[in-house]
Amino acid sequence: MEIFTTVSEMKNQTALWKQSGKSIGLVPTMGYLHAGHASLIEEARRKNDVVVVSIFVNPSQFAPNEDFERYPRDMAADSALCLEQGVDAIFAPSTGEMYPEGYISYVDPVDLSTRLCGKSRPGHFRGVCTVVLKLFNIMQPDRAYFGQKDAQQLIILSRMVEDLNLDLQICPMPIIRESDGLAISSRNVYLSGEERAQAVQLYAATEAARRLYAAGERSVAPIVAAMECELAKAGLARIDYLEIVDLRTLNQVERIEGQCLAAMAVYFGKTRLIDNILLG
Ligand code: AMP
């Protein structure tokens, strides 16, 4: 396994793989890898000749008041996990390598970027689209793997690929959870013991939605009420948003017709956790 830290080295390797006709699977991450990332890597390994994992804590997707500086990092553990998973190369550039002095070009997914997480994280999806497009250009993947846990990110990136006529397939992957149901996240390490115990209520809220939908409920109001009821059991939780939206437009709906997403963001202290479930 190779570790590349410069764009030029990575591009040279990409060119060699392309010349020999190898298909490339890319798993973009911010590192501090866990079982959720590993599931993406495994699927990429199954479907592609070559697997590249990018590890880059992207400053342009963090607002100044967010956790960019303290975001957990562990390159040694990440390399070990990638090696074990049969990854061919890690791309781990510095901030200066990705955003050199004088950098000015950004991709802005207007409209969709102001919904759900975008409301409380202005500029976040502009940063995500920009860095992911750069990664696509550097690695030229045939397939790129993203988790359903970041559902809005997945929707926006799929639209970017469609809108900008990019030549690759976005592969959505299911949410991997802890044994009690909490969605695995690099940010879970921020939680105190008590917060961690209560955080399982996000999963309980998605399960409440799933049960009601399965029982035939199509009105949004009672589903949202049931989800709020589950979140209310977590005394330390503060809801950022809890919405049921149309999967393509991210507009809030009153009835569930076609594919919808029940999505939430919840603060425990300064830690913001997200979870969601597809309905329909
Ligand atoms: P991150 O390093 O948090 O930016 O995540 C990198 C990729 O892994 C994104 O596509 C995430 O959606 C995905 N991911 C993170 N956590 C999980 C999880 N628990 N299950 C599935 N995918 C995940």
Side-chain angles (χ1 to χ4, degrees), residues 185-235:
S185 164
S186 307
R187 287 192 168 98
N188 291 350
V189 294
Y190 297 152
L191 298 170
S192 70
E194 205 181 349
E195 289 168 340
R196 169 64 188 84
Q198 293 188 10
V200 71
Q201 289 310 118
L202 276 83
Y203 174 60
T206 67
E207 280 293 283
R210 189 185 57 72
R211 277 195 303 271
L212 277 174
Y213 183 83
E217 185 59 76
R218 293 296 179 267
S219 275
V220 158
I223 299 180
V224 166
M227 295 177 79
E228 282 171 349
C229 182
E230 290 302 330
L231 291 178
K233 292 179 192 165

mmCIF file of all heavy atoms in Angstrom, residues 185-235:
data_model
loop_
_atom_site.group_PDB
_atom_site.id
_atom_site.type_symbol
_atom_site.label_atom_id
_atom_site.label_comp_id
_atom_site.label_asym_id
_atom_site.label_seq_id
_atom_site.Cartn_x
_atom_site.Cartn_y
_atom_site.Cartn_z
ATOM 1 N N SER A 185 -19.788 7.087 14.326
ATOM 2 C CA SER A 185 -19.270 8.356 13.815
ATOM 3 C C SER A 185 -17.954 8.668 14.502
ATOM 4 O O SER A 185 -17.776 8.355 15.689
ATOM 5 C CB SER A 185 -20.277 9.479 14.126
ATOM 6 O OG SER A 185 -19.652 10.741 13.987
ATOM 7 N N SER A 186 -17.047 9.305 13.756
ATOM 8 C CA SER A 186 -15.776 9.728 14.365
ATOM 9 C C SER A 186 -16.051 10.677 15.529
ATOM 10 O O SER A 186 -15.263 10.778 16.471
ATOM 11 C CB SER A 186 -14.899 10.431 13.328
ATOM 12 O OG SER A 186 -14.743 9.614 12.188
ATOM 13 N N ARG A 187 -17.171 11.410 15.465
ATOM 14 C CA ARG A 187 -17.479 12.404 16.497
ATOM 15 C C ARG A 187 -18.026 11.777 17.785
ATOM 16 O O ARG A 187 -18.153 12.479 18.788
ATOM 17 C CB ARG A 187 -18.481 13.439 15.958
ATOM 18 C CG ARG A 187 -17.858 14.397 14.952
ATOM 19 C CD ARG A 187 -18.768 15.590 14.655
ATOM 20 N NE ARG A 187 -18.075 16.631 13.918
ATOM 21 C CZ ARG A 187 -18.130 16.797 12.586
ATOM 22 N NH1 ARG A 187 -18.851 15.981 11.848
ATOM 23 N NH2 ARG A 187 -17.471 17.783 12.006
ATOM 24 N N ASN A 188 -18.345 10.474 17.771
ATOM 25 C CA ASN A 188 -18.879 9.855 18.989
ATOM 26 C C ASN A 188 -17.865 9.901 20.134
ATOM 27 O O ASN A 188 -18.257 9.825 21.290
ATOM 28 C CB ASN A 188 -19.319 8.400 18.724
ATOM 29 C CG ASN A 188 -20.548 8.331 17.830
ATOM 30 O OD1 ASN A 188 -21.176 9.342 17.552
ATOM 31 N ND2 ASN A 188 -20.877 7.127 17.363
ATOM 32 N N VAL A 189 -16.581 10.039 19.807
ATOM 33 C CA VAL A 189 -15.565 10.096 20.878
ATOM 34 C C VAL A 189 -15.709 11.355 21.735
ATOM 35 O O VAL A 189 -15.193 11.422 22.837
ATOM 36 C CB VAL A 189 -14.103 10.059 20.350
ATOM 37 C CG1 VAL A 189 -13.783 8.736 19.711
ATOM 38 C CG2 VAL A 189 -13.790 11.216 19.408
ATOM 39 N N TYR A 190 -16.401 12.371 21.230
ATOM 40 C CA TYR A 190 -16.598 13.596 22.012
ATOM 41 C C TYR A 190 -17.593 13.404 23.154
ATOM 42 O O TYR A 190 -17.665 14.224 24.060
ATOM 43 C CB TYR A 190 -17.191 14.717 21.133
ATOM 44 C CG TYR A 190 -16.360 15.207 19.974
ATOM 45 C CD1 TYR A 190 -17.003 15.724 18.850
ATOM 46 C CD2 TYR A 190 -14.977 15.210 19.997
ATOM 47 C CE1 TYR A 190 -16.295 16.216 17.770
ATOM 48 C CE2 TYR A 190 -14.259 15.695 18.910
ATOM 49 C CZ TYR A 190 -14.915 16.203 17.804
ATOM 50 O OH TYR A 190 -14.211 16.694 16.741
ATOM 51 N N LEU A 191 -18.444 12.341 23.062
ATOM 52 C CA LEU A 191 -19.563 12.202 24.005
ATOM 53 C C LEU A 191 -19.102 11.734 25.387
ATOM 54 O O LEU A 191 -18.248 10.844 25.491
ATOM 55 C CB LEU A 191 -20.577 11.181 23.453
ATOM 56 C CG LEU A 191 -21.238 11.532 22.122
ATOM 57 C CD1 LEU A 191 -22.008 10.317 21.582
ATOM 58 C CD2 LEU A 191 -22.173 12.727 22.271
ATOM 59 N N SER A 192 -19.678 12.321 26.448
ATOM 60 C CA SER A 192 -19.450 11.812 27.807
ATOM 61 C C SER A 192 -20.217 10.499 27.931
ATOM 62 O O SER A 192 -21.055 10.173 27.078
ATOM 63 C CB SER A 192 -19.979 12.811 28.829
ATOM 64 O OG SER A 192 -21.395 12.824 28.782
ATOM 65 N N GLY A 193 -19.982 9.758 29.018
ATOM 66 C CA GLY A 193 -20.663 8.480 29.224
ATOM 67 C C GLY A 193 -22.180 8.643 29.200
ATOM 68 O O GLY A 193 -22.890 7.863 28.563
ATOM 69 N N GLU A 194 -22.643 9.695 29.888
ATOM 70 C CA GLU A 194 -24.090 9.906 29.977
ATOM 71 C C GLU A 194 -24.670 10.300 28.620
ATOM 72 O O GLU A 194 -25.732 9.826 28.220
ATOM 73 C CB GLU A 194 -24.351 11.027 30.996
ATOM 74 C CG GLU A 194 -25.715 10.970 31.632
ATOM 75 C CD GLU A 194 -25.926 12.131 32.615
ATOM 76 O OE1 GLU A 194 -24.925 12.828 32.940
ATOM 77 O OE2 GLU A 194 -27.061 12.359 32.999
ATOM 78 N N GLU A 195 -23.939 11.169 27.910
ATOM 79 C CA GLU A 195 -24.401 11.577 26.568
ATOM 80 C C GLU A 195 -24.439 10.371 25.626
ATOM 81 O O GLU A 195 -25.389 10.194 24.863
ATOM 82 C CB GLU A 195 -23.474 12.655 25.997
ATOM 83 C CG GLU A 195 -23.604 13.992 26.695
ATOM 84 C CD GLU A 195 -22.481 14.967 26.304
ATOM 85 O OE1 GLU A 195 -21.422 14.521 25.817
ATOM 86 O OE2 GLU A 195 -22.673 16.176 26.523
ATOM 87 N N ARG A 196 -23.404 9.544 25.716
ATOM 88 C CA ARG A 196 -23.333 8.353 24.850
ATOM 89 C C ARG A 196 -24.530 7.437 25.094
ATOM 90 O O ARG A 196 -25.122 6.901 24.155
ATOM 91 C CB ARG A 196 -22.007 7.614 25.084
ATOM 92 C CG ARG A 196 -21.916 6.229 24.461
ATOM 93 C CD ARG A 196 -21.979 6.288 22.946
ATOM 94 N NE ARG A 196 -22.092 4.961 22.345
ATOM 95 C CZ ARG A 196 -23.231 4.292 22.178
ATOM 96 N NH1 ARG A 196 -24.385 4.811 22.574
ATOM 97 N NH2 ARG A 196 -23.224 3.095 21.608
ATOM 98 N N ALA A 197 -24.879 7.262 26.370
ATOM 99 C CA ALA A 197 -26.009 6.386 26.702
ATOM 100 C C ALA A 197 -27.305 6.951 26.112
ATOM 101 O O ALA A 197 -28.137 6.207 25.586
ATOM 102 C CB ALA A 197 -26.123 6.223 28.209
ATOM 103 N N GLN A 198 -27.459 8.277 26.177
ATOM 104 C CA GLN A 198 -28.703 8.901 25.697
ATOM 105 C C GLN A 198 -28.747 9.020 24.162
ATOM 106 O O GLN A 198 -29.830 9.119 23.574
ATOM 107 C CB GLN A 198 -28.864 10.296 26.309
ATOM 108 C CG GLN A 198 -29.101 10.255 27.809
ATOM 109 C CD GLN A 198 -29.463 11.624 28.372
ATOM 110 O OE1 GLN A 198 -29.724 12.574 27.644
ATOM 111 N NE2 GLN A 198 -29.463 11.710 29.698
ATOM 112 N N ALA A 199 -27.572 9.019 23.534
ATOM 113 C CA ALA A 199 -27.497 9.248 22.081
ATOM 114 C C ALA A 199 -28.227 8.160 21.296
ATOM 115 O O ALA A 199 -28.610 8.369 20.138
ATOM 116 C CB ALA A 199 -26.041 9.335 21.639
ATOM 117 N N VAL A 200 -28.439 7.023 21.928
ATOM 118 C CA VAL A 200 -29.152 5.926 21.265
ATOM 119 C C VAL A 200 -30.588 6.346 20.901
ATOM 120 O O VAL A 200 -31.223 5.725 20.050
ATOM 121 C CB VAL A 200 -29.123 4.661 22.159
ATOM 122 C CG1 VAL A 200 -30.030 4.846 23.372
ATOM 123 C CG2 VAL A 200 -29.525 3.436 21.371
ATOM 124 N N GLN A 201 -31.089 7.430 21.510
ATOM 125 C CA GLN A 201 -32.454 7.885 21.211
ATOM 126 C C GLN A 201 -32.596 8.400 19.770
ATOM 127 O O GLN A 201 -33.700 8.456 19.254
ATOM 128 C CB GLN A 201 -32.914 8.944 22.221
ATOM 129 C CG GLN A 201 -33.201 8.388 23.624
ATOM 130 C CD GLN A 201 -34.097 7.168 23.625
ATOM 131 O OE1 GLN A 201 -33.699 6.093 24.052
ATOM 132 N NE2 GLN A 201 -35.315 7.307 23.109
ATOM 133 N N LEU A 202 -31.490 8.766 19.122
ATOM 134 C CA LEU A 202 -31.598 9.133 17.703
ATOM 135 C C LEU A 202 -32.047 7.918 16.896
ATOM 136 O O LEU A 202 -32.912 8.012 16.036
ATOM 137 C CB LEU A 202 -30.251 9.638 17.148
ATOM 138 C CG LEU A 202 -29.919 11.108 17.384
ATOM 139 C CD1 LEU A 202 -29.328 11.309 18.767
ATOM 140 C CD2 LEU A 202 -28.948 11.616 16.325
ATOM 141 N N TYR A 203 -31.423 6.796 17.227
ATOM 142 C CA TYR A 203 -31.807 5.550 16.552
ATOM 143 C C TYR A 203 -33.245 5.190 16.903
ATOM 144 O O TYR A 203 -34.032 4.799 16.025
ATOM 145 C CB TYR A 203 -30.847 4.421 16.950
ATOM 146 C CG TYR A 203 -31.249 3.068 16.417
ATOM 147 C CD1 TYR A 203 -31.354 2.849 15.051
ATOM 148 C CD2 TYR A 203 -31.525 2.015 17.294
ATOM 149 C CE1 TYR A 203 -31.731 1.609 14.559
ATOM 150 C CE2 TYR A 203 -31.897 0.772 16.803
ATOM 151 C CZ TYR A 203 -32.005 0.575 15.440
ATOM 152 O OH TYR A 203 -32.369 -0.655 14.960
ATOM 153 N N ALA A 204 -33.602 5.356 18.193
ATOM 154 C CA ALA A 204 -34.978 5.052 18.622
ATOM 155 C C ALA A 204 -35.967 5.897 17.817
ATOM 156 O O ALA A 204 -37.043 5.427 17.441
ATOM 157 C CB ALA A 204 -35.129 5.307 20.115
ATOM 158 N N ALA A 205 -35.590 7.147 17.532
ATOM 159 C CA ALA A 205 -36.471 8.025 16.751
ATOM 160 C C ALA A 205 -36.632 7.497 15.316
ATOM 161 O O ALA A 205 -37.744 7.468 14.784
ATOM 162 C CB ALA A 205 -35.925 9.446 16.738
ATOM 163 N N THR A 206 -35.543 7.034 14.716
ATOM 164 C CA THR A 206 -35.660 6.493 13.345
ATOM 165 C C THR A 206 -36.518 5.224 13.352
ATOM 166 O O THR A 206 -37.286 4.975 12.443
ATOM 167 C CB THR A 206 -34.289 6.159 12.706
ATOM 168 O OG1 THR A 206 -33.684 5.073 13.413
ATOM 169 C CG2 THR A 206 -33.365 7.349 12.666
ATOM 170 N N GLU A 207 -36.378 4.440 14.417
ATOM 171 C CA GLU A 207 -37.157 3.199 14.515
ATOM 172 C C GLU A 207 -38.643 3.501 14.684
ATOM 173 O O GLU A 207 -39.493 2.796 14.134
ATOM 174 C CB GLU A 207 -36.644 2.357 15.701
ATOM 175 C CG GLU A 207 -35.389 1.593 15.373
ATOM 176 C CD GLU A 207 -35.658 0.519 14.328
ATOM 177 O OE1 GLU A 207 -36.208 -0.530 14.654
ATOM 178 O OE2 GLU A 207 -35.321 0.752 13.149
ATOM 179 N N ALA A 208 -38.948 4.558 15.442
ATOM 180 C CA ALA A 208 -40.354 4.952 15.622
ATOM 181 C C ALA A 208 -40.943 5.317 14.259
ATOM 182 O O ALA A 208 -42.066 4.924 13.927
ATOM 183 C CB ALA A 208 -40.447 6.120 16.593
ATOM 184 N N ALA A 209 -40.171 6.052 13.469
ATOM 185 C CA ALA A 209 -40.631 6.448 12.129
ATOM 186 C C ALA A 209 -40.832 5.214 11.255
ATOM 187 O O ALA A 209 -41.838 5.081 10.554
ATOM 188 C CB ALA A 209 -39.618 7.396 11.483
ATOM 189 N N ARG A 210 -39.870 4.299 11.332
ATOM 190 C CA ARG A 210 -39.950 3.085 10.512
ATOM 191 C C ARG A 210 -41.206 2.282 10.857
ATOM 192 O O ARG A 210 -41.935 1.840 9.963
ATOM 193 C CB ARG A 210 -38.696 2.222 10.716
ATOM 194 C CG ARG A 210 -38.586 1.051 9.748
ATOM 195 C CD ARG A 210 -37.395 0.143 10.066
ATOM 196 N NE ARG A 210 -37.424 -0.374 11.425
ATOM 197 C CZ ARG A 210 -38.259 -1.308 11.869
ATOM 198 N NH1 ARG A 210 -39.151 -1.842 11.058
ATOM 199 N NH2 ARG A 210 -38.231 -1.706 13.129
ATOM 200 N N ARG A 211 -41.469 2.144 12.164
ATOM 201 C CA ARG A 211 -42.627 1.344 12.599
ATOM 202 C C ARG A 211 -43.937 1.964 12.124
ATOM 203 O O ARG A 211 -44.801 1.282 11.596
ATOM 204 C CB ARG A 211 -42.644 1.220 14.128
ATOM 205 C CG ARG A 211 -41.735 0.111 14.664
ATOM 206 C CD ARG A 211 -42.064 -0.201 16.118
ATOM 207 N NE ARG A 211 -41.956 0.989 16.964
ATOM 208 C CZ ARG A 211 -40.844 1.379 17.562
ATOM 209 N NH1 ARG A 211 -39.734 0.687 17.424
ATOM 210 N NH2 ARG A 211 -40.826 2.463 18.310
ATOM 211 N N LEU A 212 -44.068 3.287 12.313
ATOM 212 C CA LEU A 212 -45.314 3.957 11.918
ATOM 213 C C LEU A 212 -45.519 3.854 10.407
ATOM 214 O O LEU A 212 -46.622 3.580 9.933
ATOM 215 C CB LEU A 212 -45.292 5.428 12.341
ATOM 216 C CG LEU A 212 -45.695 5.689 13.802
ATOM 217 C CD1 LEU A 212 -45.500 7.146 14.161
ATOM 218 C CD2 LEU A 212 -47.153 5.281 14.019
ATOM 219 N N TYR A 213 -44.437 4.077 9.654
ATOM 220 C CA TYR A 213 -44.542 3.997 8.192
ATOM 221 C C TYR A 213 -44.948 2.573 7.783
ATOM 222 O O TYR A 213 -45.827 2.389 6.942
ATOM 223 C CB TYR A 213 -43.220 4.403 7.533
ATOM 224 C CG TYR A 213 -43.330 4.397 6.030
ATOM 225 C CD1 TYR A 213 -43.860 5.488 5.353
ATOM 226 C CD2 TYR A 213 -42.950 3.274 5.290
ATOM 227 C CE1 TYR A 213 -44.021 5.472 3.970
ATOM 228 C CE2 TYR A 213 -43.095 3.252 3.911
ATOM 229 C CZ TYR A 213 -43.632 4.346 3.246
ATOM 230 O OH TYR A 213 -43.794 4.322 1.900
ATOM 231 N N ALA A 214 -44.313 1.581 8.423
ATOM 232 C CA ALA A 214 -44.615 0.176 8.084
ATOM 233 C C ALA A 214 -46.070 -0.160 8.420
ATOM 234 O O ALA A 214 -46.695 -0.989 7.757
ATOM 235 C CB ALA A 214 -43.665 -0.756 8.833
ATOM 236 N N ALA A 215 -46.618 0.518 9.447
ATOM 237 C CA ALA A 215 -48.013 0.263 9.839
ATOM 238 C C ALA A 215 -48.995 1.005 8.940
ATOM 239 O O ALA A 215 -50.195 0.950 9.164
ATOM 240 C CB ALA A 215 -48.219 0.663 11.295
ATOM 241 N N GLY A 216 -48.467 1.763 7.957
ATOM 242 C CA GLY A 216 -49.347 2.416 6.976
ATOM 243 C C GLY A 216 -49.521 3.911 7.169
ATOM 244 O O GLY A 216 -50.213 4.568 6.386
ATOM 245 N N GLU A 217 -48.911 4.477 8.213
ATOM 246 C CA GLU A 217 -49.028 5.933 8.432
ATOM 247 C C GLU A 217 -48.318 6.680 7.299
ATOM 248 O O GLU A 217 -47.176 6.359 6.968
ATOM 249 C CB GLU A 217 -48.384 6.294 9.778
ATOM 250 C CG GLU A 217 -48.537 7.749 10.170
ATOM 251 C CD GLU A 217 -49.998 8.177 10.280
ATOM 252 O OE1 GLU A 217 -50.654 7.835 11.277
ATOM 253 O OE2 GLU A 217 -50.463 8.826 9.320
ATOM 254 N N ARG A 218 -49.013 7.648 6.699
ATOM 255 C CA ARG A 218 -48.396 8.442 5.632
ATOM 256 C C ARG A 218 -48.403 9.938 5.948
ATOM 257 O O ARG A 218 -47.792 10.724 5.224
ATOM 258 C CB ARG A 218 -49.116 8.215 4.285
ATOM 259 C CG ARG A 218 -48.948 6.781 3.739
ATOM 260 C CD ARG A 218 -47.499 6.459 3.410
ATOM 261 N NE ARG A 218 -47.320 5.100 2.918
ATOM 262 C CZ ARG A 218 -47.022 4.056 3.677
ATOM 263 N NH1 ARG A 218 -46.882 4.202 4.994
ATOM 264 N NH2 ARG A 218 -46.854 2.859 3.145
ATOM 265 N N SER A 219 -49.102 10.326 7.034
ATOM 266 C CA SER A 219 -49.082 11.735 7.454
ATOM 267 C C SER A 219 -47.792 12.002 8.205
ATOM 268 O O SER A 219 -47.404 11.214 9.074
ATOM 269 C CB SER A 219 -50.236 12.014 8.419
ATOM 270 O OG SER A 219 -51.369 12.285 7.714
ATOM 271 N N VAL A 220 -47.169 13.134 7.900
ATOM 272 C CA VAL A 220 -45.887 13.438 8.513
ATOM 273 C C VAL A 220 -46.032 13.809 9.992
ATOM 274 O O VAL A 220 -45.216 13.401 10.828
ATOM 275 C CB VAL A 220 -45.180 14.556 7.697
ATOM 276 C CG1 VAL A 220 -44.157 15.280 8.531
ATOM 277 C CG2 VAL A 220 -44.536 13.941 6.459
ATOM 278 N N ALA A 221 -47.096 14.573 10.333
ATOM 279 C CA ALA A 221 -47.209 15.109 11.703
ATOM 280 C C ALA A 221 -47.107 14.029 12.791
ATOM 281 O O ALA A 221 -46.287 14.172 13.713
ATOM 282 C CB ALA A 221 -48.491 15.926 11.835
ATOM 283 N N PRO A 222 -47.878 12.929 12.712
ATOM 284 C CA PRO A 222 -47.755 11.923 13.774
ATOM 285 C C PRO A 222 -46.396 11.220 13.789
ATOM 286 O O PRO A 222 -45.922 10.812 14.861
ATOM 287 C CB PRO A 222 -48.876 10.923 13.468
ATOM 288 C CG PRO A 222 -49.325 11.211 12.080
ATOM 289 C CD PRO A 222 -48.989 12.620 11.775
ATOM 290 N N ILE A 223 -45.772 11.114 12.624
ATOM 291 C CA ILE A 223 -44.447 10.460 12.593
ATOM 292 C C ILE A 223 -43.417 11.361 13.279
ATOM 293 O O ILE A 223 -42.628 10.911 14.116
ATOM 294 C CB ILE A 223 -44.024 10.116 11.142
ATOM 295 C CG1 ILE A 223 -45.032 9.142 10.518
ATOM 296 C CG2 ILE A 223 -42.620 9.519 11.114
ATOM 297 C CD1 ILE A 223 -44.727 8.719 9.096
ATOM 298 N N VAL A 224 -43.477 12.656 12.955
ATOM 299 C CA VAL A 224 -42.547 13.594 13.593
ATOM 300 C C VAL A 224 -42.798 13.634 15.102
ATOM 301 O O VAL A 224 -41.853 13.638 15.907
ATOM 302 C CB VAL A 224 -42.666 15.009 12.962
ATOM 303 C CG1 VAL A 224 -41.968 16.054 13.817
ATOM 304 C CG2 VAL A 224 -42.083 15.003 11.551
ATOM 305 N N ALA A 225 -44.077 13.614 15.498
ATOM 306 C CA ALA A 225 -44.404 13.647 16.934
ATOM 307 C C ALA A 225 -43.824 12.425 17.646
ATOM 308 O O ALA A 225 -43.264 12.535 18.745
ATOM 309 C CB ALA A 225 -45.918 13.707 17.116
ATOM 310 N N ALA A 226 -43.916 11.251 17.014
ATOM 311 C CA ALA A 226 -43.377 10.029 17.624
ATOM 312 C C ALA A 226 -41.856 10.099 17.729
ATOM 313 O O ALA A 226 -41.260 9.658 18.719
ATOM 314 C CB ALA A 226 -43.800 8.815 16.795
ATOM 315 N N MET A 227 -41.226 10.698 16.720
ATOM 316 C CA MET A 227 -39.763 10.830 16.750
ATOM 317 C C MET A 227 -39.348 11.810 17.859
ATOM 318 O O MET A 227 -38.414 11.544 18.620
ATOM 319 C CB MET A 227 -39.241 11.314 15.380
ATOM 320 C CG MET A 227 -39.471 10.308 14.260
ATOM 321 S SD MET A 227 -38.938 10.918 12.644
ATOM 322 C CE MET A 227 -37.156 10.672 12.760
ATOM 323 N N GLU A 228 -40.085 12.912 17.962
ATOM 324 C CA GLU A 228 -39.782 13.897 19.022
ATOM 325 C C GLU A 228 -39.944 13.284 20.406
ATOM 326 O O GLU A 228 -39.162 13.567 21.315
ATOM 327 C CB GLU A 228 -40.711 15.112 18.874
ATOM 328 C CG GLU A 228 -40.260 16.044 17.776
ATOM 329 C CD GLU A 228 -41.277 17.148 17.444
ATOM 330 O OE1 GLU A 228 -42.435 17.072 17.930
ATOM 331 O OE2 GLU A 228 -40.911 18.058 16.683
ATOM 332 N N CYS A 229 -40.948 12.424 20.518
ATOM 333 C CA CYS A 229 -41.214 11.760 21.789
ATOM 334 C C CYS A 229 -40.006 10.899 22.203
ATOM 335 O O CYS A 229 -39.589 10.903 23.357
ATOM 336 C CB CYS A 229 -42.480 10.937 21.610
ATOM 337 S SG CYS A 229 -43.004 10.108 23.061
ATOM 338 N N GLU A 230 -39.418 10.192 21.231
ATOM 339 C CA GLU A 230 -38.221 9.385 21.528
ATOM 340 C C GLU A 230 -37.042 10.280 21.910
ATOM 341 O O GLU A 230 -36.304 9.983 22.847
ATOM 342 C CB GLU A 230 -37.841 8.506 20.316
ATOM 343 C CG GLU A 230 -38.795 7.370 20.037
ATOM 344 C CD GLU A 230 -38.960 6.415 21.217
ATOM 345 O OE1 GLU A 230 -38.005 6.250 22.004
ATOM 346 O OE2 GLU A 230 -40.055 5.848 21.350
ATOM 347 N N LEU A 231 -36.874 11.389 21.181
ATOM 348 C CA LEU A 231 -35.746 12.285 21.485
ATOM 349 C C LEU A 231 -35.926 12.952 22.844
ATOM 350 O O LEU A 231 -34.945 13.247 23.539
ATOM 351 C CB LEU A 231 -35.588 13.339 20.380
ATOM 352 C CG LEU A 231 -35.102 12.809 19.027
ATOM 353 C CD1 LEU A 231 -35.039 13.928 17.994
ATOM 354 C CD2 LEU A 231 -33.729 12.141 19.146
ATOM 355 N N ALA A 232 -37.198 13.184 23.239
ATOM 356 C CA ALA A 232 -37.462 13.830 24.531
ATOM 357 C C ALA A 232 -36.993 12.956 25.698
ATOM 358 O O ALA A 232 -36.735 13.455 26.799
ATOM 359 C CB ALA A 232 -38.955 14.131 24.661
ATOM 360 N N LYS A 233 -36.849 11.647 25.438
ATOM 361 C CA LYS A 233 -36.367 10.747 26.506
ATOM 362 C C LYS A 233 -34.884 10.969 26.797
ATOM 363 O O LYS A 233 -34.362 10.478 27.793
ATOM 364 C CB LYS A 233 -36.603 9.284 26.110
ATOM 365 C CG LYS A 233 -38.079 8.915 26.051
ATOM 366 C CD LYS A 233 -38.252 7.466 25.624
ATOM 367 C CE LYS A 233 -39.712 7.180 25.284
ATOM 368 N NZ LYS A 233 -39.871 5.922 24.535
ATOM 369 N N ALA A 234 -34.186 11.652 25.899
ATOM 370 C CA ALA A 234 -32.771 11.988 26.125
ATOM 371 C C ALA A 234 -32.736 13.404 26.705
ATOM 372 O O ALA A 234 -32.835 14.389 25.967
ATOM 373 C CB ALA A 234 -31.990 11.905 24.815
ATOM 374 N N GLY A 235 -32.615 13.492 28.021
ATOM 375 C CA GLY A 235 -32.689 14.793 28.701
ATOM 376 C C GLY A 235 -31.595 15.760 28.273
ATOM 377 O O GLY A 235 -31.768 16.976 28.328
#
